[in-house]
């Protein structure tokens, strides 16, 4: 190709060699070195005046060095009077930091876009941005290529009986990516979500308002002796309170709102009347006897839940619920339902310190009453208070944050699978494989709970931080790991790994560079991939010209 110079940084020289080979050229000469104090120095070894310059620099394990090298190379080419400078970044660094996740967080991806613009870049070519709206961070054109056609073609050529498969997203944020691949292959899709698990409610958990009312009665006990006695009775006999509430709800379902339940209704009215909030209504109920010939309205008191919410109608069955599977996750692995909960173990110490209640509950062989677990604002709630001042609720956790939560032995998570995967091949799809915990948890869910027969983990960027590849290799529920070579993978990973499959992006990126230089259309990467895979000889000959 005439009038083109392709430079390579130190991040991924093998990919640059493959791209230049397809374009019939060789990488331009450039010297990138470091001083003794760690500073980076770049010297361009060829003339680039009035040339179209393409600098290929992807992410690497030394991500900050790669970014600095790219910025300095862009500045050097700008000073060398290049006609245009295009940064080819198969993996865009800091792409997972594209939004604020806390009040004092930084949008690092936008800062990197500003640095590239200041350095003098004219165009950016990348593959599968973590969030497509990141293109708005740039003042220059951005071509976001897609690796989906490569995966679709590989699946059709290498996966037996692929038409009887299901594409599953391992988190809710990747649903668009999954539905796009499912539409391309004409397959069904599913979604997996992982949430912090709430403790199972005890009989009096759904009516936490009674607890706060009883606390209020205790605080005003010096003024009202009878109210103080009722408050102590409620706090020391939480089992009876829960039993009475359950009895109330059952009577409501069975049509016991008529005057035939006067005894139970009077007992309930007396307990509710002790609350300062409803003392007046309770006194009126005690003074007036209900008429047996008139249908009366059941008083629900200060309950936080209606009886209709406690006991849903039993004659309604949603057929779609059969495709929803819920499992428990402890330390990143699926466990049985009878496995002890770490959340309850962590709360046992706080429950044991409550005076008075523990002895009463031990006498009746019941778990101690912890009022904080009865409240909607629980100690194991998934609500994060720091979002009240800044950040956004839709800001998903990064891979490291997600992995730390899954590996925490004191936390229990609930993983939910929506979709039918029994006796099917499952394609778990995301854009990045960095840590292995969430992938292993999703694979165990579809295999152990969903009954899937084979699992393929598919992602565009294989970062494989820490021992992720080794962990996925040892997981019995994962059969293959399919990624592209957008990110440099250590060569020793190919030796022991029998599950890793790497797809080549050089033909996609080389065609993007050729069309960008000749002013061709680059809006549809699916057509680019189809042409390259079906007629490579013609394209190689055309590129050399």
């Amino acid at each position: 190709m005439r009038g083109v110079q392709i430079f390579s940084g130190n991040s991924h020289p093998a990919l640059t060699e493959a791209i230049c080979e397809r374009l019939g050229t060789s990488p331009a000469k450039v010297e990138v070195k470091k001083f003794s104090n760690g500073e980076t120095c770049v010297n361009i070894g060829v003339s680039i005046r009035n040339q179209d310059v393409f600098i290929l620099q992807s992410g690497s394990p030394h991500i900050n060095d790669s970014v600095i090298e790219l910025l300095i190379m862009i500045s050097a080419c700008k000073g060398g009077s290049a006609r245009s400078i295009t940064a080819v970044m198969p993996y865009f660094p800091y792409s997972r930091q594209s939004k604020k996740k806390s009040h004092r967080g930084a949008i690092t991806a936008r800062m990197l876009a500003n640095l590239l613009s200041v350095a003098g870049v004219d165009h950016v070519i990348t593959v599968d941005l973590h969030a497509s709206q990141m293109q708005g961070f740039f003042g220059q054109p951005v071509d976001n290529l897609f690796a989906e056609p490569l995966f679709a073609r590989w699946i059709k050529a290498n996966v037996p009986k692929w038409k009887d498969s299901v594409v599953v997203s391992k988190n809710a944020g990747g649903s668009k990516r999954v539905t796009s691949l499912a539409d391309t292959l004409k397959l069904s899709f599913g979604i997996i979500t992982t949430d912090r698990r709430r403790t199972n409610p005890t009989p009096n958990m759904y009516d936490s308002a009674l607890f706060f009312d009883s606390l209020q009665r205790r605080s005003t006990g010096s003024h009202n002796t009878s109210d103080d006695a009722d408050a102590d009775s409620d706090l020391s006999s939480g089992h009876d309170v829960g039993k009475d509430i359950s009895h109330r709800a059952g009577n409501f379902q069975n049509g016991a709102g008529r005057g035939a339940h006067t005894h139970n209704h009077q007992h309930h009215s007396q307990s509710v009347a002790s609350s300062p909030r409803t003392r007046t209504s309770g006194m009126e109920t005690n003074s007036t006897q209900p008429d047996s010939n008139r249908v009366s309205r059941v008083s629900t008191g200060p309950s936080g839940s209606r009886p209709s919410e406690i006991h849903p109608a039993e004659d309604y069955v949603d057929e779609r619920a059969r495709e929803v599977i819920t499992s428990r996750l402890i330390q990143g692995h699926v466990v049985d339902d009878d496995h002890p909960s770490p959340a309850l173990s962590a709360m046992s110490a706080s429950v044991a310190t409550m005076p008075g209640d523990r002895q009463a509950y031990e006498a009746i062989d019941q778990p101690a009453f912890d009022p904080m677990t009865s409240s909607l604002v629980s100690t194991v709630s998934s609500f994060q208070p720091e979002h009240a001042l800044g950040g956004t609720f839709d800001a998903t956790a990064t891979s490291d944050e997600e992995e730390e939560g899954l590996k925490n032995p004191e936390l229990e998570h609930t993983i939910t699978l929506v979709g039918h995967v029994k006796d099917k091949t499952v394609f778990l799809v995301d854009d990045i494989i960095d840590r292995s915990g969430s992938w292993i948890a999703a694979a165990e869910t579809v295999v152990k709970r969903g009954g899937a027969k084979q699992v393929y983990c598919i992602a565009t960027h294989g970062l494989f931080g820490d021992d992720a590849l080794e962990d996925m290799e040892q997981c019995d529920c994962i059969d293959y790991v399919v990624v592209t070579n957008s990110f440099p993978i250590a060569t020793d990973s190919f030796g022991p790994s029998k599950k890793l499959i790497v797809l080549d992006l050089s033909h996609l990126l080389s065609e993007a560079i050729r069309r960008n230089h000749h002013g061709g259309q680059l809006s549809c990467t699916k057509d680019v991939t189809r042409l390259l895979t079906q007629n490579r000889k013609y394209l190689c000959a055309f590129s050399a010209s």
Side-chain angles (χ1 to χ4, degrees):
M1 295 176 63
R2 297 178 181 178
V4 174
Q5 297 292 342
I6 301 177
F7 294 95
S8 173
N10 291 328
S11 64
H12 207 336
L15 181 59
T16 306
E17 292 283 350
I19 291 175
C20 292
E21 183 180 356
R22 291 182 178 274
L23 293 175
T25 183
S26 59
K29 184 178 180 181
V30 60
E31 181 184 7
V32 181
K33 62 181 181 179
K34 285 183 176 293
F35 292 135
S36 58
N37 62 350
E39 294 180 358
T40 301
C41 177
V42 174
N43 292 318
I44 304 298
V46 295
S47 175
I48 55 175
R49 183 177 298 276
N50 202 26
Q51 299 277 311
D52 289 335
V53 173
F54 294 87
I55 304 174
L56 195 142
Q57 183 82 318
S58 186
S60 69
H62 307 285
I63 189 67
N64 294 326
D65 292 339
S66 300
V67 170
I68 290 297
E69 283 182 10
L70 175 62
L71 294 175
I72 297 177
M73 292 176 70
I74 292 174
S75 179
C77 294
K78 191 74 173 177
S81 302
R83 180 169 58 188
S84 65
I85 303 174
T86 301
V88 182
M89 309 170 69
Y91 171 72
F92 192 87
Y94 294 97
S95 60
R96 287 176 291 182
Q97 301 184 44
S98 60
K99 62 176 69 174
K100 291 183 68 174
K101 295 182 174 63
S102 64
H103 182 54
R104 290 172 291 275
I107 307 177
T108 315
R110 182 182 62 183
M111 183 191 70
L112 180 57
N114 293 336
L115 289 174
L116 292 172
S117 301
V118 171
V121 74
D122 298 308
H123 198 164
V124 175
I125 298 177
T126 185
V127 180
D128 277 344
L129 284 172
H130 186 64
S132 59
Q133 58 267 28
M134 287 173 53
Q135 300 176 62
F137 294 162
F138 294 86
Q140 294 78 22
V142 177
D143 289 327
N144 182 28
L145 308 181
F146 299 99
E148 173 193 309
L150 297 178
F151 291 127
R153 188 170 186 84
W154 182 87
I155 289 173
K156 293 178 180 179
N158 297 275
V159 178
K161 299 181 180 179
W162 62 269
K163 293 184 179 180
D164 190 21
S165 305
V166 181
V167 186
V168 178
S169 174
K170 76 178 188 71
N171 52 50
S175 57
K176 290 184 178 179
R177 188 178 299 106
V178 165
T179 53
S180 178
L181 181 59
D183 291 341
T184 301
L185 297 174
K186 303 297 187 293
L187 298 177
S188 301
F189 67 92
I191 298 176
I192 291 178
T193 59
T194 305
D195 300 305
R196 287 274 298 275
R197 183 179 176 90
R198 296 179 182 269
T199 56
N200 294 328
T202 57
N204 57 358
M205 270 181 154
Y206 54 77
D207 204 357
S208 59
L210 289 179
F211 165 72
F212 294 102
D213 289 340
S214 57
L215 285 183
Q216 188 173 6
R217 293 197 302 272
R218 173 175 286 184
S219 63
T220 58
S222 58
H223 302 284
N224 194 329
T225 305
S226 60
D227 290 344
D228 183 69
D230 291 339
D232 293 338
S233 176
D234 288 340
L235 285 176
S236 62
S237 304
H239 178 69
D240 296 334
V241 174
K243 183 177 180 181
D244 176 62
I245 296 174
S246 301
H247 183 69
R248 265 198 296 139
N251 290 339
F252 182 85
Q253 289 289 348
N254 297 327
R258 289 178 282 273
H261 69 296
T262 55
H263 176 71
N264 293 331
H265 184 69
Q266 289 176 0
H267 175 70
H268 163 65
S269 301
Q270 291 175 2
S271 62
V272 174
S274 60
S275 174
R277 203 182 294 174
T278 58
R279 185 176 293 119
T280 304
S281 60
M283 293 176 61
E284 293 177 357
T285 306
N286 291 333
S287 60
T288 304
Q289 297 295 334
D291 188 3
S292 59
N293 297 326
R294 184 179 62 184
V295 177
S296 62
R297 182 178 181 181
V298 177
S299 176
T300 61
S303 172
S305 302
R306 296 188 180 91
S308 59
E309 297 175 350
I310 302 170
H311 297 279
E314 298 180 356
D315 56 347
Y316 175 74
V317 177
D318 191 352
E319 295 294 337
R320 294 173 296 180
R322 298 179 180 178
E323 298 183 356
V324 179
I325 300 174
T326 303
S327 304
R328 297 173 59 198
L329 275 183
I330 296 180
Q331 294 187 358
H333 295 281
V334 176
V335 298
D336 297 331
D337 294 336
D338 56 353
H339 192 279
S341 174
L344 295 179
S345 301
M347 288 188 298
S348 60
S350 62
V351 173
T353 58
M354 299 189 64
D357 293 342
R358 186 185 180 195
Q359 297 178 357
Y361 277 87
E362 288 180 350
I364 58 176
D365 195 22
Q366 292 289 336
F369 170 64
D370 187 3
M372 290 309 298
T373 60
S374 300
S375 172
L376 294 178
V377 185
S378 171
T379 55
V380 293
S381 173
S382 60
F383 176 75
Q384 300 296 329
E386 59 267 24
H387 288 301
L389 294 179
T392 56
F393 286 102
D394 61 343
T396 56
T398 61
S399 298
D400 291 340
E401 294 170 351
E402 184 181 5
E403 294 292 331
E404 290 175 0
L406 291 177
K407 297 298 183 180
N408 191 344
E410 298 181 357
L411 296 179
E412 179 178 347
H413 294 75
T414 299
I415 186 167
T416 304
L417 168 63
V418 181
H420 180 67
V421 298
K422 186 174 179 59
D423 298 330
K424 294 180 179 292
T425 299
V426 173
F427 302 124
L428 288 176
V429 178
D430 205 354
D431 62 328
I432 298 174
I433 298 181
D434 188 4
R435 307 286 290 275
S436 60
S438 58
W439 291 89
I440 293 176
E444 290 183 355
T445 301
V446 298
V447 173
K448 296 181 179 180
R449 299 300 186 188
K453 63 180 182 180
Q454 206 170 24
V455 175
Y456 289 78
C457 295
I458 300 176
T460 303
H461 311 294
L463 276 59
F464 297 117
D466 296 338
D467 299 327
L469 185 57
E470 182 180 354
D471 294 340
M472 299 178 75
E473 178 77 18
Q474 295 175 357
C475 180
D476 296 334
C477 297
I478 296 177
D479 296 282
Y480 295 98
V481 180
V482 184
V483 296
T484 68
N485 59 345
S486 63
F487 192 91
I489 303 174
T491 55
D492 55 356
S493 300
F494 290 94
S497 179
K498 299 179 180 179
K499 300 180 179 180
L500 182 63
I501 299 173
V502 181
L503 305 184
D504 188 16
L505 280 178
S506 61
H507 53 278
L508 178 64
L509 293 174
S510 61
E511 179 65 12
I513 291 174
R514 187 191 66 80
R515 293 195 179 194
N516 182 273
H517 173 64
H518 292 291
Q521 184 180 2
L522 201 64
S523 60
C524 186
T525 56
K526 294 183 180 181
D527 292 341
V528 174
T529 306
R530 179 176 54 84
L531 285 172
L532 285 167
T533 53
Q534 291 180 355
N535 199 357
R536 294 182 181 178
K537 294 182 180 180
Y538 168 76
L539 286 172
C540 289
F542 184 79
S543 300
S545 62

